[in-house]
Amino acid sequence: NATKKIIASTRDGLEFNVVYSLDKKNRWKTADTISLLGATPENLNAEVVEKNALEASGIAHSEKSTFAVHSKQINMNQEPGEFEVRSATSSGNGQHYSNFLPQTREFSKKANAKMMTIRGEEQTQKTSPASQPTISYNIYKTHPSQEVVGSQMFKTKPMSKSSRHRPGKGEDLAFYEDEDDYDCDAEDFEEETSQRQSENFLDLASLSVGNRVKQERKSKRKDSELSYEIVEAVEPEFSYLLNIQEYLREEGYMFEQADVTFHNQKDNIEHQIKELQQEKKLVIKDLKPRQYLIDVSKWCQLDGGVVDGETTTVIVVSHIKRNVYNILINSTIANHPSKKGSEYLRKQISSAMTIREAITRITSEILINRKILETMKMYIKLFGKKTFSELLHDCNAWENQMVNMNWPNQHYHATWANSEELSNVGTKQDWNDLCAMVKKESQLKTGYTSDDNCGLCSKPKKSHELFLVDNESKIKCTECLRDEFYRELRARRLPIDLQTDTADELEYLPTFIPLTVVNWYIRFSTFDFQMVSETIFKDLGASESFGKCPSCKSALFFDDAPAEKTKIKIIQNRSCPCGYSWCKHCDREPHWPMKCNNYTEWEEKWLLRYSMMHAQGSGTETLLQVACTCAKQMYNVLLPEEFMACPGCKLNIKVDTMQTFWKHHYFPFAPVFRKLVVDGHNPFTGGWNGIPGDNYHEVRFAPRVAVCTDVVKIPPIKASVMEICGAARDVRFDLHFRNRAVHREHILIRKKVMETEVVENLFGTSAYLVENVTAWMYMTNYSDKNVKSNLESMLEDRRALVKTLEGEDSAAITESVKKLIDGIESVKRAVDKKTSNLA
């Protein structure tokens, strides 16, 4: 009963004698000394005992692992919620708990007896207070001193029952076995006050400390308490460790390896590699004898598409014997959850005639996965039902992705739909230059070349899984090297040197480290150099900065200085040479001159109102956003409405019953099937959308996505603002108009009517300014007749340029271009002046 009362009055949410992990449920946030002691009842003593988790003095020798005791004692004179924390610490590896109590320290008794003899006084025996229950929190953690931790951090050592297998038993001699060492270590105590542990104490579970947040507590100490020190939670050195597994889950990766037997291959490995070296888009490197690393990143991107700014996919081929090869696929592009594992990889490429054919099959599937991942990101930004990491592990999401869908938000970040004029365009840094900053000095060695046991874990490994380290004095396998690499990366000890005896250690990392982590490590290693360079540039008066493109992942160099002509400093919008634009602060689509918080509020209501402007029907209750079963078109319907139709496949649906109905000129099937459907037969065995049934009129419509929003819950926008922004948005994301204008400009340049390409940037900038400046004035309640008149004149100049491009009058086109440029500059100056005054 007493235990139940204590548990009920304790506010830490923990049970007695239960082992808890601080990595779960964010317990590390409240696992500091002040929070734990403050959660205990005020009428009970409490203490936090910190124990060393090292191999030599932690789990194996728990009785000699205590290095700090923080205690709270009862003081009924203090106000409720106020208490004192007294600490006793040791600078050694750890000692017995009794050493922290002054009653059990022999040297303290001897010193006290000598002092009393000199004074000629008789020692008085003080009665010890009655023992009271004490709540004890035992926390296992690494010692705060790095010299004590060393390389034994979190490393446990099993102890054998047999006395013949105890090589580490001699280590106990170093821990206070003789009296001299005991007296020496006892002097290392730094004790404010100490407390005697009660015989009837309540021992809670051991806690493994992770990241902790340092919490402050207001203290109201009296003058008599100034000798005591209020001890706060000390922030450990490992509180900011990188979470590699979480990063892999969020970004996605592919790391598949299997021993594959190619039954149909006839040529040897050397001949096939020579043929592959003739491919210009492949980069082949010799790692070890009969082991090759093939960079297939250019095969995993479409011709004419966005060029990746980093290595995305490598394939490591290791020849084992005859037609048996070890194939490793390491890519930053995630694969289908159901297609993971070595068995699927064997089935996929085992029938290939050559290695080139096997690589072609692998890269073809990676291209499909890449397109699916792009649609996943657009789906998240449009609907936001699941996170990207959740979709990566959802098989249904992979199967139902609409890769051919005409997404309404697919051009939000395109530079042509925004403005290169209003963006700070970065300069790409070559990926090989970044890798050169991380590489160490090359050595003329090729690694281990025979099967053997790992010198660290003693597991039998093949030759391509072993490396010579420390000047050929040791052998380590890829698993041990991976653990060592992750340990160094988590602790941010960069650059990492695994001491492998290889020609280039960075080239060997993809053989056992996921490429997503390797690229992350390269960016981390060069980040320090870039930050130093950026600081030097700013000290010299420059305004350069570094960044990364969210699309192509290229490292970019930005010059944040204002434009020379206009002296307007626009650094909020950034653009990459690949054609991707984003906001510097929130990574969303560009929205200058609006601030990020204003744009978030504006976008929440503007996108829904814009969808209502182009919706089918005339209802006033619900907005229905539908992704058709054809997976090519999305459209909006205002309910209540009797019918709705897909603009792409022309499929008609009765809204009240959600059933399809047939119209001769709207039917989505080929003419050969129409007669069968009219007669009442379904030409497909599975029925429409997989629903069984032979009568087409009884088929129920099942859209891929359907989102309903009540109209009354959509925040209103002023009608005049909607009209202006809606018209600007229509022409801003009109890809067909952009392509026609650019094509016409190229014709005029070939005819020497125009000299340079300016149309794309001018059309994008003018439409961007009309929509975003109008929204900015509406969100900030700012109304300026000068800005409005400049926007109206700029639109007139834009229409004049469109009409002039239809002809071939060089002087008229030049004059129209000049007027539109002047109109854009006038709007920029007016807005920049107002934003500067508001700032």
Side-chain angles (χ1 to χ4, degrees), residues 100-357:
F100 291 81
L101 304 178
Q103 291 84 350
T104 59
R105 288 165 53 185
E106 296 296 335
F107 68 90
S108 179
K109 292 183 179 180
K110 294 179 181 179
N112 188 30
K114 184 183 298 184
M115 180 178 62
M116 299 297 293
T117 302
I118 294 175
R119 292 183 179 179
E121 300 176 359
E122 296 182 356
Q123 300 184 20
T124 60
Q125 297 182 355
K126 296 182 180 180
T127 59
S128 60
S131 61
Q132 297 181 358
T134 301
I135 298 178
S136 178
Y137 296 88
N138 295 319
I139 300 179
Y140 283 94
K141 56 185 289 186
T142 54
H143 199 281
S145 175
Q146 186 175 3
E147 298 179 356
V148 176
V149 174
S151 61
Q152 302 295 325
M153 186 177 180
F154 298 123
K155 181 180 178 183
T156 61
K157 178 180 179 182
M159 301 296 293
S160 174
K161 295 182 179 180
S162 174
S163 60
R164 296 176 297 174
H165 303 285
R166 295 184 180 180
K169 190 173 182 61
E171 296 174 357
D172 295 345
L173 298 177
F175 293 91
Y176 322 111
E177 292 296 334
D178 55 67
E179 186 176 359
D180 297 335
D181 292 339
Y182 176 79
D183 293 338
C184 180
D185 289 334
E187 296 176 359
D188 295 335
F189 274 90
E190 298 174 1
E191 179 183 6
E192 289 89 14
T193 58
S194 58
Q195 173 187 346
R196 185 175 183 270
Q197 187 183 24
S198 174
E199 296 178 357
N200 301 324
F201 66 94
L202 301 173
D203 189 7
L204 283 183
S206 303
L207 303 178
S208 58
V209 177
N211 296 346
R212 301 189 299 176
V213 180
K214 182 177 180 180
Q215 299 185 0
E216 296 182 358
R217 173 178 172 270
K218 295 181 179 180
S219 61
K220 298 180 180 180
R221 293 189 296 173
K222 301 177 182 179
D223 296 336
S224 60
E225 301 172 348
L226 294 179
S227 60
Y228 304 134
E229 180 181 356
I230 303 299
V231 180
E232 298 177 347
V234 180
E235 207 168 327
E237 298 178 0
F238 52 90
S239 59
Y240 298 104
L241 297 178
L242 299 177
N243 195 333
I244 299 177
Q245 298 301 328
E246 181 180 357
Y247 179 78
L248 289 175
R249 285 193 298 267
E250 293 178 354
E251 297 293 328
Y253 71 102
M254 180 180 182
F255 193 84
E256 303 295 338
Q257 188 174 12
D259 292 339
V260 183
T261 302
F262 295 94
H263 301 283
N264 301 326
Q265 285 194 14
K266 297 181 180 180
D267 295 337
N268 55 29
I269 181 66
E270 290 79 8
H271 179 71
Q272 296 187 65
I273 293 298
K274 287 182 180 179
E275 292 182 351
L276 288 175
Q277 289 176 347
Q278 297 177 1
E279 294 287 342
K280 296 182 180 179
K281 293 184 179 181
L282 297 181
V283 180
I284 303 176
K285 299 178 181 179
D286 297 346
L287 299 181
K288 298 178 183 179
R290 298 177 300 172
Q291 185 182 33
Y292 305 91
L293 184 142
I294 306 174
D295 186 354
V296 296
S297 300
K298 294 184 179 180
W299 276 22
C300 297
Q301 58 189 22
L302 297 175
D303 292 338
V306 177
V307 180
D308 295 317
E310 64 180 8
T311 304
T312 58
T313 306
V314 296
I315 298 177
V316 181
V317 180
S318 304
H319 183 221
I320 300 177
K321 61 180 180 179
R322 295 184 181 179
N323 290 345
V324 181
Y325 296 84
N326 181 271
I327 306 297
L328 170 64
I329 306 174
N330 196 350
S331 177
T332 60
I333 303 171
N335 59 334
H336 196 288
S338 64
K339 298 180 180 179
K340 294 182 179 180
S342 58
E343 189 63 28
Y344 177 81
L345 180 59
R346 293 190 188 97
K347 293 180 180 180
Q348 182 185 15
I349 63 176
S350 60
S351 61
M353 300 290 292
T354 59
I355 295 179
R356 189 183 190 280
E357 182 181 350

Side-chain angles (χ1 to χ4, degrees), residues 44-74:
L44 292 179
N45 292 329
E47 64 181 4
V48 176
V49 182
E50 297 182 4
K51 296 186 177 182
N52 199 345
L54 294 182
E55 173 191 11
S57 59
I59 299 175
H61 304 281
S62 58
E63 69 278 1
K64 297 182 180 180
S65 60
T66 304
F67 63 86
V69 175
H70 311 281
S71 59
K72 180 194 78 171
Q73 292 195 2
I74 303 174

Side-chain angles (χ1 to χ4, degrees), residues 4 255 336 544 546 618 630 642 675 780 797 820:
K4 293 182 179 179
F255 193 84
H336 196 288
E544 286 80 0
F546 296 90
S618 57
C630 65
E642 185 177 1
K675 191 175 187 313
T780 57
D797 296 337
L820 184 56

Side-chain angles (χ1 to χ4, degrees), residues 408 411-419 422-423 573 581 588-592 594 599 602 606-607 610 724-739 760 763-773 775 798:
H411 302 307
Y412 278 5
H413 289 277
T415 302
W416 63 265
N418 292 284
S419 174
L422 301 176
S423 298
N573 297 351
S581 298
R588 306 173 75 176
E589 55 266 27
H591 48 80
W592 181 87
M594 281 189 291
Y599 178 72
W602 163 257
W606 164 237
L607 294 182
Y610 181 74
I724 297 174
C725 294
R729 196 174 187 85
D730 290 340
V731 298
R732 179 183 170 194
F733 294 106
D734 191 350
L735 181 60
H736 298 289
F737 171 79
R738 178 256 181 190
N739 292 339
E760 179 181 0
F763 284 164
T765 303
S766 57
Y768 171 90
L769 285 174
V770 172
E771 179 181 352
N772 285 279
V773 172
R798 189 180 189 277

Side-chain angles (χ1 to χ4, degrees), residues 40 64 77 87 132 149 336 439 447 502 517 522 570 576 599 608 626 653 671 680 728 765:
T40 57
K64 297 182 180 180
N77 298 326
S87 300
Q132 297 181 358
V149 174
H336 196 288
K439 290 181 179 179
T502 55
V517 179
I522 293 174
I570 302 175
C576 178
Y599 178 72
L608 293 176
V626 181
I653 304 100
T765 303

Side-chain angles (χ1 to χ4, degrees), residues 547-600:
K548 184 184 72 171
C549 175
S551 177
C552 67
K553 311 299 181 183
S554 298
L556 301 175
F557 177 79
F558 294 97
D559 186 2
D560 297 332
E564 296 181 359
K565 296 182 180 179
T566 60
K567 300 299 181 182
I568 298 176
K569 187 177 182 180
I570 302 175
I571 61 175
Q572 182 176 351
N573 297 351
R574 286 186 168 182
S575 295
C576 178
C578 71
Y580 188 91
S581 298
W582 70 97
C583 174
K584 173 185 176 181
H585 305 295
C586 63
D587 290 337
R588 306 173 75 176
E589 55 266 27
H591 48 80
W592 181 87
M594 281 189 291
K595 294 183 179 180
C596 297
N597 55 349
N598 291 336
Y599 178 72
T600 302

